[in-house]
Amino acid sequence: MKIVYVITRSDVIGGASVHLLDLALGSSKAGHSVDILVGGEGVFNSRARDLGLSCYSLKYLVREISPGKDIRAFFELRAMLSKLKPDLVHLHSSKAGILGRLAAKSLGLPAIFTAHGWAFTEGVSEKRRFVYRNIERIMARFSDQILTVSEFDRQLALKAKVGDEDTVLTIHNGMPEVCSNRVGFTESDQIRLIMVARFEVPKNQKFLLEALAKVEAKNWELELVGDGPSLANARKLAAQLGISEKVVFSGACDDVPIRLSRSDIFVLISDWEGLPLTILEAMRSGLAVIASNVGGVSELVANGDNGFVVERGDQQGLIDALTQLIKSAELRKKQGISGQYRYRTNFTFDIMLDKILKIYQKVLDRTK
């Protein structure tokens, strides 16, 4: 099978980027021919080539809405697909999903779109939800299959009349095993919290910092891994709250599994989500998780079992969850073990890859 993957951004490595690279590599190892098309030339391209994957840069595919560039991007995508002659095209991220489906269908190629969280999800402005909901309703007609990474997103699509029960299917994200999983649980007095996320919407490091400043227990330290446009403001806020000496800003890192293995609690505070890969990484590492109850998060974190889910905007709820886990080594260990079991039972990469490759074959059989 010859597969072309398409994603919009090359300048960052986010959840969708990691998912696509894992999937492309897994498909390649399974014996399929794989090419990747991505907007621009950045860290994504380097990572793909380091993995031995064929990756082409697209000059005009950009995240921002730009009618002139978007028209050029459509024809650029169409030309590349015509040249590569894939059996099917698998699209990731909103802009690539729109232009790529149009380009694929104009050539009679099967098109599969994965929604890594809808642009019309809860937490997004009503105006933006209205616009993207209607765009995705139209684009569903150009989709041979739509995959959502959470059942939350599938139900959101069906409620919005984006596709139907047969077109929209849920395949939860999965993560490969790594060798740096936790091998024990420390009972140190200094509790190490970690959040791995870019400093931009929908992530909300500000909310976490404000809650931590009000936690009565002070035997904690926080590592914030990631970069982005709101990083400078977060540094300033930590200083204003008087907790800067307890917060480490590590920037973008390529050794996240090792950093997770040295931590005690994983936190992810967001205004909206799809199905966060970073939570899966934390579960894989045996960490208790505190996360915002948005998107498909509750499909990963069973409240009170392998962590705590906190309602968006509930500062006291976040303070309470942080306090419980900071104070109890026994609870951290219990929830961490439970999370690791949930990961290995339901969210491994091999489980996800097997389901997606079966979808590819079904789509090809249907469209012959």
Side-chain angles (χ1 to χ4, degrees):
M1 189 186 311
K2 186 173 177 59
I3 309 160
V4 168
Y5 294 99
V6 188
I7 192 167
T8 308
R9 298 180 69 179
S10 63
D11 59 323
V12 298
I13 295 291
S17 310
V18 172
H19 172 91
L20 188 151
L21 290 170
D22 285 344
L23 180 56
L25 184 61
S27 297
S28 178
K29 287 181 176 179
H32 304 288
S33 174
V34 168
D35 294 292
I36 301 172
L37 306 180
V38 62
E41 181 74 36
V43 63
F44 178 92
N45 311 65
S46 301
R47 186 78 61 89
R49 288 164 189 152
D50 287 345
L51 293 170
L53 296 168
S54 169
C55 184
Y56 297 91
S57 173
L58 299 175
K59 182 178 180 181
Y60 297 108
L61 182 59
V62 295
R63 185 186 189 189
E64 298 75 19
I65 295 175
S66 171
K69 285 186 177 180
D70 292 345
I71 292 170
R72 291 183 178 92
F74 166 79
F75 286 106
E76 186 179 29
L77 269 167
R78 193 178 190 279
M80 285 300 300
L81 293 176
S82 181
K83 176 183 175 181
L84 294 171
K85 295 181 171 55
D87 295 310
L88 62 82
V89 185
H90 190 170
L91 304 132
H92 300 257
S93 68
S94 295
K95 179 69 77 69
I98 293 168
L99 297 178
R101 277 178 282 182
L102 292 173
K105 299 316 288 185
S106 75
L107 295 168
L109 296 172
I112 298 172
F113 173 60
T114 290
H116 296 272
W118 293 108
F120 54 85
T121 192
E122 295 176 1
V124 177
S125 71
E126 183 55 45
K127 180 180 179 181
R128 184 179 174 188
R129 273 188 285 180
F130 175 81
V131 170
Y132 280 100
R133 186 165 52 236
N134 284 287
I135 289 173
E136 291 296 351
R137 281 176 184 165
I138 295 169
M139 292 312 304
R141 302 170 192 168
F142 296 87
S143 310
D144 292 285
Q145 197 79 65
I146 296 172
L147 303 180
T148 60
V149 297
S150 69
E151 185 59 24
F152 173 91
D153 279 330
R154 180 173 185 265
Q155 294 303 321
L156 193 67
L158 296 176
K159 184 178 178 181
K161 295 182 171 54
V162 174
D164 56 30
E165 293 275 354
D166 294 325
T167 304
V168 186
L169 299 176
T170 298
I171 297 182
H172 287 111
N173 284 333
M175 292 293 291
E177 284 278 11
V178 293
C179 60
S180 57
N181 288 349
R182 291 166 63 85
V183 294
F185 295 86
T186 65
E187 295 189 22
S188 168
D189 288 338
Q190 194 70 9
I191 307 306
R192 298 161 297 187
L193 297 90
I194 185 169
M195 176 167 167
V196 181
R198 276 185 58 77
F199 283 81
E200 65 178 349
V201 294
K203 307 305 191 260
N204 198 339
Q205 290 89 346
K206 175 178 180 288
F207 196 78
L208 173 59
L209 291 171
E210 290 171 341
L212 276 169
K214 296 180 179 180
V215 170
E216 186 176 335
K218 300 301 180 185
N219 59 321
W220 58 266
E221 58 186 37
L222 170 67
E223 180 179 12
L224 293 173
V225 177
D227 58 14
S230 63
L231 174 57
N233 287 337
R235 287 182 185 274
K236 290 178 184 176
L237 178 62
Q240 291 167 3
L241 293 170
I243 58 172
S244 56
E245 75 284 355
K246 300 175 74 64
V247 182
V248 177
F249 293 88
S250 299
C253 300
D254 58 8
D255 60 346
V256 169
I258 294 173
R259 292 173 186 272
L260 290 171
S261 72
R262 297 195 297 245
S263 303
D264 299 298
I265 302 167
F266 179 83
V267 188
L268 184 67
I269 304 304
S270 317
D271 292 330
W272 65 85
E273 285 288 355
L275 195 86
L277 290 179
T278 52
I279 291 181
L280 286 178
E281 288 181 289
M283 291 166 61
R284 180 181 65 188
S285 293
L287 291 179
V289 174
I290 299 172
S292 302
N293 190 15
V294 293
V297 166
S298 63
E299 295 167 43
L300 299 177
V301 183
N303 193 43
D305 177 46
N306 63 310
F308 295 106
V309 291
V310 179
E311 297 306 315
R312 183 174 50 234
D314 182 4
Q315 186 183 81
Q316 189 57 52
L318 178 55
I319 291 170
D320 292 344
L322 288 164
T323 300
Q324 285 189 65
L325 284 175
I326 288 170
K327 286 186 173 181
S328 176
E330 182 181 351
L331 184 59
R332 294 195 300 271
K333 180 177 180 179
K334 176 178 174 291
Q335 292 192 348
I337 290 172
S338 179
Q340 200 167 62
Y341 176 79
R342 285 173 66 85
Y343 156 73
R344 288 175 175 163
T345 306
N346 301 297
F347 300 108
T348 66
F349 175 76
D350 289 342
I351 292 172
M352 180 193 77
L353 179 64
D354 180 65
K355 290 179 179 179
I356 290 178
L357 291 178
K358 285 178 179 175
I359 291 293
Y360 290 170
Q361 194 58 56
K362 285 182 181 179
V363 168
L364 288 178
D365 291 344
R366 257 196 340 250
T367 54
K368 280 181 181 177

